[in-house]
């Protein structure tokens, strides 16, 4: 079990396997949108680390701008297509999955924010801020765990999707803000 599965476990406890199954498939579909970020992270993290060690901040900023544009060019059309054709996409898995339409839209929006903020977690780690990143993750995950027990019984799969997406969005925006602040500090 991982922290990222808490929503599914709690959802299953309250609503059983059918709704949890739909939610799990929908969540996996939305995670496919972030595949380029995973690939880019594995490629640029060593480059960023070397540049940071050599204090070549302007080159880091240039590389990150290129990555940001690339991720934006990918994520806007993919996210738009998933949102516009969510019902059609879900029917591929069976008619019963059509009920996950709104959940797919919610989780895809969360992943869109994840994608467009770029490799911010890796940047914090690379700049010796891994404890700060860990603390952010622990606090946000703890808040989400409590929120799951409130929102899932009240709103079911939609509550799980909302909290999961808010976790991704909040974590990425906070870390993105810290990276921006850090880049201004090193840019001086």
């Amino acid at each position: 079990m991982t922290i990222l599965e808490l929503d599914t476990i709690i959802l299953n406890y309250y609503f059983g396997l059918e709704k949890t199954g739909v939610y799990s498939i929908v969540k996996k579909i939305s995670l496919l949108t972030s595949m380029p970020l995973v690939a880019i992270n594995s490629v640029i993290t060593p480059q960023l680390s070397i540049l940071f060690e050599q204090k070549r901040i302007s080159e880091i900023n240039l590389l990150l701008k290129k990555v940001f544009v690339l991720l934006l060019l990918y994520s806007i059309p993919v996210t738009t297509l998933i949102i516009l054709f969510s019902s059609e996409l879900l029917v591929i898995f069976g008619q019963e999955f059509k009920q996950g339409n709104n959940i797919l839209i919610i989780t895809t929006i969360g992943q869109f924010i994840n994608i467009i903020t770029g490799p911010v977690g890796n940047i914090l780690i690379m700049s010796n801020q891994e404890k700060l990143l860990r603390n952010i993750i622990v606090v946000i995950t703890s808040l989400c765990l409590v929120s799951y027990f409130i929102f899932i019984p009240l709103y079911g799969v939609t509550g799980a999707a909302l909290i999961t997406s808010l976790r991704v969005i909040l974590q990425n925006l906070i870390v993105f803000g810290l990276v921006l602040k850090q880049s201004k500090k090193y840019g001086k």
Side-chain angles (χ1 to χ4, degrees):
M1 179 186 85
T2 68
I3 295 290
L4 299 177
E5 297 170 341
L6 287 173
D7 52 348
T8 307
I9 293 166
I10 297 167
L11 188 63
N12 186 49
Y13 174 78
Y14 284 105
F15 291 97
L17 289 176
E18 183 181 337
K19 289 192 182 283
T20 304
V22 170
Y23 178 76
S24 294
I25 292 295
V26 167
K27 190 171 151 185
K28 284 176 177 54
I29 293 169
S30 70
L31 284 173
L32 289 174
T33 62
S34 62
M35 294 289 285
L37 180 59
V38 174
I40 285 174
N41 276 342
S42 65
V43 171
I44 71 158
T45 300
Q47 293 173 323
L48 287 171
S49 183
I50 290 167
L51 292 171
F52 187 79
E53 186 67 32
Q54 296 172 350
K55 300 191 184 332
R56 294 162 54 188
I57 304 304
S58 61
E59 290 177 56
I60 290 173
N61 289 336
L62 182 62
L63 180 59
L64 290 175
K65 285 177 186 174
K66 288 178 183 177
V67 166
F68 176 75
V69 169
L70 183 65
L71 290 171
L72 205 57
L73 288 173
Y74 164 81
S75 62
I76 289 174
V78 170
T79 301
T80 303
L81 286 172
I82 289 174
I83 290 172
L84 291 176
F85 299 105
S86 55
S87 292
E88 293 81 359
L89 183 61
L90 289 170
V91 171
I92 294 170
F93 297 95
Q95 285 295 326
E96 64 276 11
F97 286 92
K98 243 180 138 171
Q99 65 182 300
N101 185 47
N102 290 336
I103 297 130
L104 181 55
I105 292 169
I106 292 166
T107 55
T108 299
I109 291 168
Q111 287 305 311
F112 176 75
I113 300 300
N114 180 32
I115 295 166
I116 65 167
T117 54
V120 290
N122 285 350
I123 294 168
L124 275 189
I125 291 169
M126 171 202 64
S127 60
N128 297 319
Q129 299 291 318
E130 64 278 348
K131 289 179 183 173
L132 178 59
L133 179 62
R134 178 205 58 207
N135 293 343
I136 291 167
I137 292 170
V138 166
V139 168
I140 290 173
T141 302
S142 299
L143 290 171
C144 286
L145 180 59
V146 171
S147 298
Y148 284 138
F149 282 106
I150 295 168
F151 284 87
I152 289 176
L154 291 173
Y155 303 106
V157 290
T158 304
L162 282 169
I163 298 304
T164 298
S165 291
L166 284 173
R167 177 186 54 78
V168 171
I169 291 168
L170 188 59
Q171 181 177 309
N172 279 285
L173 290 179
I174 289 171
V175 176
F176 184 77
L178 290 170
V179 168
L180 280 179
K181 182 178 176 184
Q182 185 177 13
S183 72
K184 289 178 184 174
K185 178 178 112 179
Y186 286 112
K188 290 181 180 179

